[in-house]
Amino acid sequence: MQNRFARAIAIGFFAGLSLVPAAYSQSPSQPLVLKVANQGDVLSLDPHSLNEAVQLSFLNNVFESLVTRDKQLRLGPSLATAWRLKSPTVWQFDLRQRVVFHDGAAFDADDAVFSLDRARGEGSDVRSQLATVKEVRKTGPYQIEIETSRPNPILPDVISNILILNKKWAETNNATRPVDRRKGVENAATFKANGTGPFSVKERQPGVRTVIVRSASWWGQHETNIDEVSFMPIANDGTRVAALVSGEVDLIDPVPLQDFQRVKDRQGLTVLQSAEARIIFLGFDQHRDELVGSNVKGKNPFKDVRVRKAFYQAIDIDTIVSKVMRGLARPTGGMINDGIRGFSADMEKRLPYDPEAARKLLADAGYPAGFEITMQCPNDRYANDSEICQAVAANLARINVKVRLQTESKATYFPRALKRELSFFMLGWSPAGFDAHHLLFTVLASPAGAQGQWNFGAYSNPQLDDLTNRIQVETNEAQRNRLIKEALTLHSNDVGHIPLHQQMVTWGAKSNVDAYQRADGFMLFKWVKFKK
């Protein structure tokens, strides 16, 4: 399964510039309303509160970043029109003039400095992208500099989802600090938004709907003819499909895999599908001296690589892909796929499925009769996430590991995960900037501030940490790729996580809906229109 975005990412290495023209489609006399159903809700309107794809996808319709990605995921200008590396540790950005926020306030350098400082501050869940930033300073009304503590040649790549707020609005609404999902801290930015994007927020009812309308003051050219989008969470797969079939909604994400063919074959409906940049994997609590929810007392089985390897070899990934995922996924032995900078094909080989070898590994580790463990998974975030976890639990039962499976909405799952309250868990990851360093720094490196922020099991290898730091500053592409391969090989040998598969982006739509599906799974409504 070839990722169609691999070549585009390679072209964009170290921040190339491109301008992409957009066609204008005149809105009809009657408002055109697009009704969208997703399996999960947008959990906050604060763009710095949660580094999660559904969240960032929706908010990219309301807010904008300094740099953005086009349909082919090539880096290009947004609120910044140009950028340059002034010195090894100083990036300069020229900002777009005559841009206004949805409340009419003018955008300038003060808003950019404020937003970047907010995004890298306490409580922000996107601060890992800005971990190297030492200072953000205004150098003119429409110019800023970002100084890093060490060279960061891919900084423009990784800030494409750092969204910009209006400073005065945030101060007036007591929203100068991000909503903190770990501590349950809320502010006005949870329910209200003031961005510069192509759509503005009209209505927010958490768990029910969020309505956005096309902004007449947007600086860009609208390709869409949609006047309003009503975004609704419908967690139940059958209900979501029924809403599409009945015409209650126009577009759903995702199409449940069990209904894929039915939707595809139904007259008046269509399925949009592409390979996603995301890898789905499992993780272990490798920090606590005693696991929560296990009958093993006084020690943590997951600190033993033999136990982690046993779990890996007990999982029948081919059956999960063919039966649970209905063939709409690709097994992987690596933590990144071929659309990510730093990918190496020889990392794709998995440990073999071998329950007998897994039982021996458990016995060698001192667990000949197995043990009990709690497994936590979301049930409304990834394609067939709870079903995958059920299959994994059944696989582990064959090696005498009794799994108590707990599934829950992402609304409660991620806050608990970010507080590292999980023992054995599922996660999916698509690296920011489509660069392996982001995975290494955010998910695999030892937790330390912004580093390892999504390393929920606190896996730690000092050699990997050192390599991650070296990769950060390396400007020679061949040498950088060699270091990435070395770091990912260390992680693979440690069985730091268990990679499962690369999933597909699968949307269902009415046939009169024209939607562009980018390989990161983002649903950007500026590229969605009703056909005439």
Side-chain angles (χ1 to χ4, degrees):
M1 183 186 299
Q2 181 68 29
N3 286 330
R4 60 185 171 86
F5 59 101
R7 184 177 299 277
I9 296 302
I11 292 171
F13 190 72
F14 293 160
L17 284 174
S18 63
L19 285 169
V20 181
Y24 175 74
S25 181
Q26 181 66 41
S27 175
S29 57
Q30 296 299 318
L32 291 178
V33 179
L34 179 76
K35 297 179 180 178
V36 179
N38 192 285
Q39 67 177 350
D41 197 11
V42 178
L43 301 182
S44 173
L45 295 183
D46 188 329
H48 306 149
S49 68
L50 186 62
N51 188 17
E52 187 255 347
V54 173
Q55 181 90 2
L56 294 175
S57 169
F58 183 84
L59 292 181
N60 263 273
N61 293 290
V62 176
F63 298 93
E64 294 176 294
S65 50
L66 298 183
V67 299
T68 190
R69 293 190 180 275
D70 66 11
K71 290 181 178 180
Q72 286 73 45
L73 292 168
R74 295 172 301 202
L75 204 65
S78 183
L79 292 180
T81 56
W83 50 94
R84 62 196 65 83
L85 195 59
K86 284 187 64 179
S87 74
T89 58
V90 177
W91 282 92
Q92 186 179 75
F93 291 81
D94 297 332
L95 305 182
R96 190 177 298 277
Q97 301 183 35
R98 294 179 292 279
V99 173
V100 296
F101 288 90
H102 296 144
D103 68 353
F107 161 75
D108 61 20
D110 291 328
D111 301 304
V113 172
F114 164 77
S115 297
L116 291 167
D117 282 341
R118 186 182 190 270
R120 68 191 184 99
E122 187 65 30
S124 170
D125 196 44
V126 297
R127 62 179 180 156
S128 62
Q129 283 97 298
L130 299 167
T132 62
V133 174
K134 179 180 178 181
E135 182 186 7
V136 184
R137 51 184 174 260
K138 175 181 175 180
T139 52
Y142 295 98
Q143 188 179 79
I144 67 168
E145 289 181 350
I146 302 178
E147 183 177 356
T148 56
S149 57
R150 54 187 183 271
N152 187 350
I154 63 166
L155 180 73
D157 290 81
V158 299
I159 64 170
S160 59
N161 279 318
I162 303 298
L163 303 176
I164 304 301
L165 294 83
N166 176 248
K167 179 183 179 182
K168 184 177 179 180
W169 180 92
E171 291 171 343
T172 301
N173 287 274
N174 296 314
T176 56
R177 296 183 64 179
V179 169
D180 192 336
R181 303 298 302 177
R182 293 166 183 78
K183 298 179 180 178
V185 175
E186 304 284 356
N187 60 43
T190 298
F191 307 103
K192 297 192 291 184
N194 185 31
T196 62
F199 289 84
S200 62
V201 175
K202 174 183 177 182
E203 177 187 348
R204 168 69 171 160
Q205 296 185 51
V208 180
R209 71 174 59 83
T210 302
V211 180
I212 56 177
V213 294
R214 189 169 54 162
S215 172
S217 62
W218 186 45
W219 58 268
Q221 290 183 299
H222 284 287
E223 184 175 330
T224 183
N225 58 3
I226 293 165
D227 299 296
E228 184 174 301
V229 178
S230 181
F231 182 95
M232 298 166 282
I234 302 180
N236 182 274
D237 288 343
T239 305
R240 191 166 64 255
V241 171
L244 179 65
V245 170
S246 68
E248 182 182 347
V249 301
D250 305 296
L251 182 61
I252 66 171
D253 177 22
V255 175
L257 300 186
Q258 64 270 21
D259 294 307
F260 177 87
Q261 200 61 44
R262 180 164 73 96
V263 173
K264 185 177 180 181
D265 293 342
R266 188 175 181 90
Q267 186 175 2
L269 299 181
T270 187
V271 172
L272 294 85
Q273 187 180 48
S274 62
E276 192 175 14
R278 187 176 318 280
I279 297 294
I280 305 298
F281 55 90
L282 303 175
F284 317 87
D285 177 356
Q286 300 176 53
H287 177 69
R288 288 181 177 84
D289 292 329
E290 182 178 295
L291 286 177
V292 176
S294 174
N295 66 338
V296 178
K297 303 303 177 185
K299 60 179 177 178
N300 180 347
F302 291 146
K303 289 189 176 185
D304 192 323
V305 67
R306 293 171 295 185
V307 173
R308 302 194 298 271
K309 188 175 180 181
F311 273 49
Y312 190 142
Q313 293 202 254
I315 295 173
D316 184 356
I317 190 61
D318 289 335
T319 298
I320 288 175
V321 166
S322 64
K323 302 297 184 183
V324 179
M325 301 301 291
R326 291 169 168 79
L328 300 175
R330 181 183 65 85
T332 178
M335 296 290 287
I336 58 173
N337 59 60
D338 63 352
I340 305 301
R341 224 165 21 223
F343 171 80
S344 176
D346 55 9
M347 295 294 295
E348 284 287 88
K349 186 176 181 180
R350 290 182 58 84
L351 288 175
Y353 167 57
D354 191 338
E356 183 176 343
R359 283 189 287 269
K360 185 178 186 305
L361 283 165
L362 281 185
D364 291 345
Y367 306 100
F371 56 89
E372 298 177 9
I373 186 68
T374 299
M375 181 180 190
Q376 296 97 344
C377 295
N379 57 23
D380 59 0
R381 176 57 193 95
Y382 311 113
N384 281 16
D385 41 18
S386 60
E387 291 86 350
I388 294 167
C389 292
Q390 290 169 16
V392 168
N395 287 166
L396 292 174
R398 297 172 188 163
I399 63 168
N400 299 317
V401 173
K402 182 179 179 181
V403 175
R404 289 186 294 273
L405 181 60
Q406 297 177 353
T407 64
E408 59 188 306
S409 169
K410 67 176 185 178
T412 55
Y413 179 78
F414 284 123
R416 292 205 305 116
L418 288 163
K419 290 187 285 188
R420 298 191 175 90
E421 294 179 350
L422 310 182
S423 296
F424 180 48
F425 56 88
M426 168 184 279
L427 186 60
W429 200 258
S430 176
F434 302 95
D435 188 279
H437 179 267
H438 184 251
L439 170 84
L440 289 163
F441 183 85
T442 309
V443 182
L444 307 188
S446 304
Q451 177 179 292
Q453 197 168 0
W454 281 61
N455 185 349
F456 297 156
Y459 160 77
S460 181
N461 184 322
Q463 289 179 271
L464 182 143
D465 297 342
D466 178 64
L467 286 165
T468 299
N469 290 331
R470 292 168 61 190
I471 292 162
Q472 175 76 74
V473 300
E474 181 57 62
T475 58
N476 180 281
E477 186 175 0
Q479 173 67 359
R480 192 172 186 272
N481 287 340
R482 187 189 67 76
L483 294 174
I484 288 171
K485 181 177 180 180
E486 186 177 346
L488 291 176
T489 299
L490 280 173
H491 173 265
S492 178
N493 292 340
D494 287 341
V495 194
H497 297 78
I498 302 175
L500 295 178
H501 59 261
Q502 176 187 8
Q503 69 176 28
M504 304 287 288
V505 184
T506 309
W507 302 344
K510 291 181 180 177
S511 297
N512 69 329
V513 173
D514 184 6
Y516 189 86
Q517 189 178 67
R518 211 166 63 174
D520 59 1
F522 278 26
M523 188 180 285
L524 300 179
F525 301 120
K526 65 182 180 181
W527 295 330
V528 181
K529 65 176 108 175
F530 285 109
K531 300 175 185 177
K532 293 182 179 180

